[in-house]
Amino acid sequence: MKQHFPLKNVQEEKRLFRSRIFIAIGLVVLCFITLISRYVYLQIFHYQEFETASDNNRIRLQPLAPARGYIYDRNGILLADNYPVFTATMSKADVEDIDGTVKKLIPILDLTQDDIDRFTSRIKTAKKTERVALKLNLNETEIAKFSEMKYLFPGVNIETQMTRYYPYGELFAHVIGYVGRINDRELKKINKDVYAGTNLIGKIGVEKSYEDLLHGTPGNESVEADAHGNVLRHLGKKDPVRGNDLYLSLDYGLQMVASEQLAGRRGAIVAMDPHTGEILALVSSPSFNPNLFVSGISTKDYVALRDNLDQPLYNRALQGVYPPGSTIKPVEGLGGINYGVIDWSTTINDPGYFHLPGDSHKFRDWKKNGHGIVDLNKAIQESCDTFFYVLSSQMGIEHMNAWMRQFGFGEKTGIDLPSESSGLYPSPEWKMRTRKTKWLKGETISVSIGQGAFTATPIQLAMAISMVANHGYHLVPHVVSSSRGAKPFPVRNAPDGRVKFNGTDEDWNKMRDAMVNVINQGTGRRIRTNAYQIAGKTGTAQVKSIAQGKKYNEALLTERQLDHGLFVGFAPAENPQIAIAVILENGRHGGAAAELARPVFDYWMLQRKTNPIRPLTHQITGSLMTAGIQPSQLPSGQSILQADPNAVPNSQKAQQMTQKQKADTAAQQAEITE
């Protein structure tokens, strides 16, 4: 018998259907509860946090680099300018593959390995939204290439940024220095918040010494950006504060005249106000074009400067150490008076040589037959070596060292420029410490005439002769006189003490008169003038030593083995306004160095107020830039500002002047001057 089953159970199906509905409704309700809970969590409990995160995806705080402060000379002539350049920048927030993007940009922007290395170092430590410079100073071709392919490089943009320009190129290079790209070593030291968006930093000179004042304070700007990093809206802005402007004590015209005297020669000239310590001119020759370094100097250009035998990058005025020769005799003579070893009536008989008791070695005077009866005045006037041989043997190296150090020898002057050398004033302690041997009495004799281990820099000589002019008052040399801007600047020009001197003001005056005699009738008589009185002292520093008993034969020496010529002096003698130190490398004698000082004296005393040398107006700069010519596009060493042709000789005149100087030197070769 067959059993029949119903095809469907209606009641069971209803029960199953209802249970599924309840489960589905429960799942939906659970989802809604979860969604609402999450919404409450995000919108109520963590609203502020996630609002900020959301805004960060579209609103960015971009740094605004401050403009660098300008640098002027004492007359308001602009020496360091700012001008805009096109710069390729990248933000790592908008670029996923930084290395790959840089590689693709190499042929488009003509990137060098130096560009890549600098960018890689900076991008590693940059903030996520900071725009890091990939290449500065793009040319028109590079801009055009990138513009065509911009869509392939989200996060890479071309912006206008300010960079530095030095209108007078080589003229102020060793004083002002230059700025350059921030390197790895500097990146570890600087405050990254202060330098956000900034690519340049002071490297040498005033640019480095006063970096904190010149740099300024950065600002920032809030912008709304799309997914590709393109700015859609500007939401808010805090303006950066421009760096302080600096006013130097340098005089453009005096710097120009001093530079012309050293054209084609190796040497340095430092001019200083003996009453304030202000540096009026500071020239080191040869020089270099600082504009080459701003955007990154090419390897070819750098190697050419580095390997140049004349060392144009070397600041001879601050770093050059030379035997000072007889230029230190006025200071040393005052030392003899200070210690009571001599007075103005003390005399010696000079046979042309000196030897220590019990020693047959002869220390010879530059004048073979001697100077006869010599007192201190005559010893200064005729630069009698033998007088100072005797003086030093009686004074002793300890007293000499203590006295000369009061005038700054053997120590840095403290000038507000970096990389100053200290020179060396030797002592028994120094020799034992460095050479492990005892001091010899003969070494004292050599030091007494500025030879032996004694070395000094031109800035030290300028400071020392300023102290003589100023009756022993010490002033720290400085090139920055004042500053204008948001940051405070300490006022200088205050005396920094006076040397301890047992003599009187009359002794200072007598030394001044002796130095006047040097110019009027002594070794510096070729620069004598009736227009004003110059007090000075010449000196000769031996480069190649001559063995005892051998005769100095200049014809057998190479040009770089010839003696250095030195000169120190001040004018007018009675009330000094300017003090000068000159070093002429391989100049053969001090008279040649003195001749370079005379035009510098003349300009300051006679021409500066009535017919000052000034550059042409800066309208030339504006017209060139309007025409699309950037200063960086000028040939190396060429400035867009030319000096007044009526005041500055052209290259042909300068060449004629050089030839005349050489002819004068040859004609005077027979006349030996100390």
Side-chain angles (χ1 to χ4, degrees), residues 80-92:
D81 198 357
N82 299 322
Y83 77 99
V85 296
F86 291 108
T87 303
T89 64
M90 182 188 296
S91 172
K92 61 182 178 183

Side-chain angles (χ1 to χ4, degrees), residues 507-547:
D507 292 310
W508 295 103
N509 291 333
K510 286 183 176 180
M511 183 56 71
R512 175 201 65 199
D513 294 341
M515 294 176 66
V516 170
N517 291 338
V518 171
I519 303 302
N520 289 344
Q521 49 194 322
T523 57
R525 57 188 174 275
R526 282 182 289 179
I527 67 167
R528 177 182 178 178
T529 174
N530 294 325
Y532 55 91
Q533 287 275 22
I534 300 174
K537 184 69 190 78
T538 58
T540 301
Q542 200 174 69
V543 175
K544 184 175 176 60
S545 59
I546 305 299

Side-chain angles (χ1 to χ4, degrees), residues 332 335-336 339 341 390-400:
E332 196 170 285
Y339 291 112
V341 178
V390 175
L391 173 60
S392 64
S393 69
Q394 296 174 354
M395 191 164 23
I397 189 62
E398 288 82 5
H399 279 160
M400 290 167 60

Side-chain angles (χ1 to χ4, degrees), residues 348-354 365 367 369-374 384-387:
I348 68 162
N349 181 28
D350 172 25
Y353 61 87
F354 167 81
D365 193 282
K367 191 173 183 180
N369 296 322
H371 299 264
I373 303 300
V374 182
C384 175
D385 293 335
T386 306
F387 186 93

Side-chain angles (χ1 to χ4, degrees), residues 327-336 403-404 407 409 464-465 468 511:
T327 59
I328 50 89
K329 288 177 179 177
V331 180
E332 196 170 285
L334 289 166
W403 174 254
M404 299 297 282
F407 288 80
F409 293 110
I465 203 61
V468 173
M511 183 56 71

Side-chain angles (χ1 to χ4, degrees), residues 77-146:
I77 297 173
L78 185 61
L79 307 180
D81 198 357
N82 299 322
Y83 77 99
V85 296
F86 291 108
T87 303
T89 64
M90 182 188 296
S91 172
K92 61 182 178 183
D94 302 312
V95 180
E96 295 182 1
D97 182 8
I98 293 177
D99 292 337
T101 301
V102 171
K103 188 176 294 185
K104 293 176 183 177
L105 286 169
I106 291 175
I108 299 173
L109 299 179
D110 193 21
L111 299 177
T112 66
Q113 190 59 46
D114 287 341
D115 293 328
I116 298 171
D117 291 342
R118 292 191 190 100
F119 170 77
T120 302
S121 298
R122 192 71 189 270
I123 199 74
K124 289 178 180 177
T125 58
K127 294 181 178 179
K128 190 173 182 180
T129 59
E130 183 180 344
R131 298 164 298 181
V132 178
L134 182 56
K135 184 175 182 179
L136 300 174
N137 203 8
L138 299 176
N139 58 40
E140 294 180 358
T141 302
E142 292 163 348
I143 295 172
K145 285 182 180 179
F146 179 79

Side-chain angles (χ1 to χ4, degrees), residues 220 238 264 350 584 590 633 641:
N220 55 66
K238 178 185 177 182
D350 172 25
L584 179 59
Q633 295 173 296
L641 297 180

